[in-house]
Amino acid sequence: MTNEEFKQARSINRRTVLKSAGVASGTALVGVSFSGVAAAKGGGKPCHKAFECTEGDAYVKFEFVTETDEDGNITDCYFQEETDTGLVEITDWDSKDGEECEPVSVEWEADGYVATTVMAFGGGDCDTVDDPGTVYMSGLENNGGNTAAISNLQFCLEETPFPDCPMYGTSRVGGEEGKVDIWSIRYDADEGELVEAVVGDIPDNSSDANYPNGLAFDPATEVWYFAEKGGLLKTMNEDGCLGIKVYNGISGGGDIAGATVYDGAYYFTPQGGDALFKVELNSDGSVVEDSGSVTAENVRTLPITGNTFGDIAADDNGVLYFSVNGAFFKVDLADSANDEVIVSGESDRDSYAVLSQLAFDDTETLWAHDAGDGEWRTVDPATGEVSDVVATTKQYTDLATCGTFELNENCEE
């Protein structure tokens, strides 16, 4: 059964149902038992106690717990982590037909990690699966040769080579010929690979291959922002169906190249510009207009002027990081005294985050993408130094910080 088939076939989470029943009836949870047994089938060391992870992998163990009241009636059952790492969350499980607390299928999430191996124990049997994705379906057998319920699960994890929270980029490569697309770029744990997929087409009204540019995404409203050459601002998905909306040119916008969204505003700097500007956004993601025009507020003069971008990325504290030709610097929106030129006079993109596309993932790791060769590296914001190459994709003209979106149910296919 595929992961999608499993999702469609799975029953209601037994823990949720039983927990609700226990609370509603006021029963006391006086009995707690762990389903694991002392020894596996056969002699020697029990298989579930002999399991080990490869050096460098993270180890996580869950036991299946059953709670009973004073009369011995089951009031709740669930998977409980013994190792106290918080790296894996059991998101759903399914019992044997006709049973309440006999798990045979388990689904999990492990943000930032991927399971290299999962070992299940139950019915005196052990079952080890390599590269399981995010779903385990029991391969355990009891002494009668029937499918055994899962007593405990043990995971070996390694950090994912790329974020599973999708980042977004604009590219002319790999999509429909002659069109510019917004792409999502993420690591798919089920597939065990980095996946690039078109989100939607955007207008291409420029002969300049670097435009549209100034891409930004607001996870709060699920709207993308980008600009045509000359500062013509557009959005995608204000309607929840990936529709495009065109606004009048930004006053003094110039050719927008570096941009990001932070706290209800679109921040940008024109190509070759000396200042940081912002455009206010409404709570629904639309752009604030004054008599049909979009006004840009001058936030402050940048510590380095005459910049060729590069990109801008904002962290959760309102610190904006700039990658420009030969330099990497930051601007603190709350306190200009914290503005700092971190790297200057450098052109080596294999060593520093200069003239790179920037985006934060959901763990506040800053990523740099080289639009020339498609290479991705992580960035140390304190020094501007980059890691070795983590991944290589198509070339993206601009990036936007990660986030997820859902389309309206009434969108036409």
Side-chain angles (χ1 to χ4, degrees):
M1 180 180 286
T2 66
N3 185 28
E4 188 61 31
E5 289 170 338
F6 167 76
K7 290 180 179 179
Q8 293 173 358
R10 70 192 180 196
S11 63
I12 297 174
N13 186 318
R14 298 297 195 267
R15 179 177 182 182
T16 302
V17 173
L18 293 172
K19 194 72 167 179
S20 299
V23 172
S25 62
T27 54
L29 306 178
V30 298
V32 178
S33 66
F34 291 83
S35 300
V37 298
K41 293 184 291 187
K45 191 173 184 180
C47 55
H48 66 295
K49 292 187 177 182
F51 180 75
E52 294 181 348
C53 293
T54 302
E55 184 177 355
D57 283 359
Y59 172 73
V60 178
K61 181 181 180 182
F62 283 84
E63 287 281 358
F64 190 71
V65 180
T66 301
E67 296 181 351
T68 58
D69 61 17
E70 57 189 8
D71 297 322
N73 298 314
I74 295 176
T75 57
D76 198 8
C77 52
Y78 49 88
F79 284 93
Q80 177 175 294
E81 186 185 350
E82 279 197 339
T83 44
D84 197 30
T85 66
L87 297 179
V88 177
E89 178 188 0
I90 302 295
T91 57
D92 206 353
W93 55 273
D94 196 20
S95 270
K96 289 183 181 181
D97 291 341
E99 302 292 339
E100 289 186 334
C101 293
E102 298 285 328
V104 292
S105 299
V106 179
E107 186 174 359
W108 63 85
E109 293 180 354
D111 289 345
Y113 289 82
V114 60
T116 57
T117 306
V118 62
M119 197 284 287
F121 174 72
D125 190 16
C126 289
D127 182 31
T128 301
V129 179
D130 293 328
D131 300 321
T134 57
V135 176
Y136 172 76
M137 304 188 72
S138 180
L140 301 167
E141 291 186 357
N142 56 29
N143 289 330
N146 298 315
T147 299
I150 302 164
S151 296
N152 68 51
L153 284 172
Q154 300 178 64
F155 295 85
C156 296
L157 306 169
E158 64 181 15
E159 291 189 63
T160 57
F162 200 81
D164 55 3
C165 174
M167 290 183 279
Y168 300 100
T170 49
S171 182
R172 298 171 181 266
V173 180
E176 188 174 341
E177 186 176 353
K179 289 189 176 182
V180 178
D181 300 303
I182 294 178
W183 293 70
S184 68
I185 312 105
R186 68 183 185 90
Y187 183 80
D188 188 318
D190 288 324
E191 298 295 331
E193 61 185 23
L194 192 151
V195 176
E196 303 171 79
V198 173
V199 177
D201 299 328
I202 59 178
D204 179 15
N205 299 326
S206 172
S207 59
D208 189 329
N210 291 318
Y211 286 86
N213 211 311
L215 181 68
F217 178 68
D218 185 1
T221 59
E222 302 180 7
V223 174
W224 288 266
Y225 303 84
F226 57 95
E228 297 287 354
K229 195 170 179 65
L232 185 65
L233 186 61
K234 298 181 180 180
T235 68
M236 185 173 80
N237 205 41
E238 280 189 44
D239 60 356
C241 296
L242 301 180
I244 303 294
K245 183 172 181 179
V246 181
Y247 290 87
N248 288 329
I250 300 173
S251 176
D255 295 336
I256 297 172
T260 191
V261 168
Y262 176 76
D263 195 25
Y266 175 78
Y267 289 87
F268 71 90
T269 297
Q271 193 72 278
D274 302 336
L276 175 66
F277 294 86
K278 77 172 181 178
V279 171
E280 295 289 347
L281 306 174
N282 293 309
S283 60
D284 62 357
S286 60
V287 177
V288 174
E289 295 180 284
D290 182 10
S291 301
S293 298
V294 178
T295 302
E297 175 188 341
N298 189 325
V299 177
R300 76 178 59 143
T301 300
L302 297 176
I304 293 180
T305 60
N307 297 294
T308 300
F309 281 82
D311 204 358
I312 308 172
D315 70 12
D316 286 345
N317 298 311
V319 177
L320 274 54
Y321 292 89
F322 292 69
S323 172
V324 299
N325 189 23
F328 178 78
F329 60 93
K330 68 177 184 179
V331 168
D332 188 337
L333 295 176
D335 186 357
S336 60
N338 291 329
D339 294 0
E340 179 186 0
V341 177
I342 300 169
V343 175
S344 64
E346 289 286 350
S347 59
D348 183 3
R349 282 189 273 183
D350 293 343
S351 300
Y352 297 96
V354 294
L355 199 58
S356 300
Q357 308 308 314
L358 299 178
F360 278 99
D361 65 22
D362 56 342
T363 67
E364 279 295 276
T365 298
L366 182 60
W367 289 79
H369 171 70
D370 188 331
D373 56 22
E375 293 180 345
W376 293 77
R377 305 167 189 267
T378 59
V379 183
D380 181 349
T383 65
E385 295 177 343
V386 296
S387 68
D388 292 336
V389 176
V390 176
T392 302
T393 64
K394 64 173 55 68
Q395 298 88 352
Y396 292 100
T397 304
D398 204 8
L399 289 187
T401 288
C402 90
T404 58
F405 71 97
E406 291 186 8
L407 299 182
N408 291 340
E409 293 181 358
N410 60 351
C411 294
E412 294 183 5
E413 294 186 0

